[in-house]
Amino acid sequence: LIIVPDVENYLSKFLPERDSLLLRLEEEAKKEGIPIIHLDSMQLINVILQWIKPKRIIELGTAIGYSTIWLARANPNAVIETIERKKVYVERAFFNIKEANLEKNIIVHFGDIFNILPNLEPADVIFLDAAKGQYQELLELSFTKLNEGGALLIDNILFRGFLANKEEVETKPMLNKIAKFNEKLAIDYRFLTSFVPIGDGLAICYKKGRF
Ligand SMILES: C[S@@+](CC[C@H](N)C(=O)[O-])C[C@H]1O[C@@H](n2cnc3c(N)ncnc32)[C@H](O)[C@@H]1O
């Protein structure tokens, strides 16, 4: 847990409503252990997106399309390109996106981000939610595909709060990688970054203009 339980419980009353499709996906994710974004983080992203009105959004890590549907609904005029390497997830994401009637807004790419992202046009927002151990390399690649003034949104930067536990970080290689990633990101002059203790930890990074 990242927020104290009383506060989490209090805030849970204010979570946004979902339609039957999103509720079904939440249920499937829970049952099958599919990692999808926490609702409070999703709502923060929703607010940011309505604000900055991006024309192009790239999502790294689609899973079954839960966050993808949120991204598209927040921005009906935007093109969303999303990348996923697990075939079974891609098939389910296609199906779910079709059910949401969003197949005109969303392009799902099947394959590895490192092969696909270099061929995409730059975007105004990149949502990074793929393999946590690859975040450093993914950040560098994302930087080249993010317009100046754009937003890079990164999920799981607190990983269930373990990042605050020194012993866990020292003994678990994946946590160690996220810890090093966060430290570098905090002093990365190319971005202005806020580490938000919401959901599983969300970094909000503004790509500076001329520097
Ligand atoms: C946390 S899940 C995505 C959840 C989704 N964004 C949501 O909130 O509904 C991460 C996904 O990224 C995919 N992934 C991880 N590394 C990848 C890579 N290098 N290329 C493509 N997909 C990757 C995994 O297969 C997994 O389905």
Side-chain angles (χ1 to χ4, degrees):
L1 269 184
I2 288 170
I3 315 178
V4 292
D6 279 355
V7 175
E8 176 136 329
N9 189 31
Y10 170 71
L11 288 175
S12 68
K13 294 180 214 152
F14 306 138
L15 290 173
E17 284 185 3
R18 284 89 69 213
D19 66 356
S20 57
L21 170 62
L22 289 177
L23 289 172
R24 171 173 69 75
L25 300 188
E26 286 172 18
E27 198 56 41
E28 288 176 12
K30 200 167 155 195
K31 236 192 254 163
E32 301 174 45
I34 301 166
I36 60 167
I37 189 166
H38 288 222
L39 194 50
D40 47 359
S41 299
M42 195 66 243
Q43 179 66 349
L44 175 57
I45 292 176
N46 191 11
V47 171
I48 293 169
L49 294 182
Q50 309 254 353
W51 227 322
I52 63 182
K53 299 186 175 48
K55 290 197 178 67
R56 281 184 47 77
I57 301 172
I58 296 174
E59 178 181 60
L60 306 177
T62 318
I64 56 174
Y66 176 76
S67 53
T68 325
I69 290 169
W70 270 100
L71 297 175
R73 284 181 176 170
N75 300 266
N77 297 318
V79 173
I80 324 280
E81 299 209 49
T82 184
I83 308 173
E84 174 58 54
R85 67 180 170 194
K86 242 178 133 170
K87 193 153 195 266
V88 275
Y89 282 174
V90 169
E91 281 162 5
R92 287 170 70 171
F94 269 126
F95 177 85
N96 294 327
I97 288 164
K98 200 159 189 296
E99 186 174 330
N101 255 316
L102 289 168
E103 64 267 43
K104 284 196 185 72
N105 310 48
I106 299 169
I107 303 165
V108 184
H109 297 276
F110 167 47
D112 198 285
I113 293 160
F114 290 99
N115 297 328
I116 291 167
L117 185 54
N119 303 317
L120 301 189
E121 292 296 312
D124 309 305
V125 170
I126 298 183
F127 173 42
L128 173 47
D129 193 20
K132 315 305 158 196
Q134 298 178 318
Y135 267 11
Q136 196 58 52
E137 295 83 353
L138 290 171
L139 175 115
E140 289 311 323
L141 189 52
S142 298
F143 180 80
T144 67
K145 291 294 173 180
L146 189 60
N147 291 327
E148 281 183 7
L152 176 62
L153 308 168
I154 310 169
D155 198 21
N156 313 103
I157 48 109
L158 295 175
F159 210 83
R160 296 175 207 153
F162 289 140
L163 265 290
N165 184 321
K166 211 167 159 234
E167 210 185 302
E168 293 275 357
V169 170
E170 276 166 7
T171 53
K172 307 243 163 68
M174 198 262 280
L175 295 178
N176 200 275
K177 276 194 168 176
I178 304 178
K180 292 218 169 79
F181 171 78
N182 285 344
E183 276 155 35
K184 273 182 96 171
L185 179 61
I187 55 167
D188 191 328
Y189 65 94
R190 301 170 298 173
F191 294 101
L192 181 65
T193 297
S194 175
F195 294 85
V196 187
I198 192 173
D200 203 31
L202 185 74
I204 299 175
C205 319
Y206 168 75
K207 180 172 171 176
K208 294 180 194 168
R210 303 272 160 224
F211 45 79

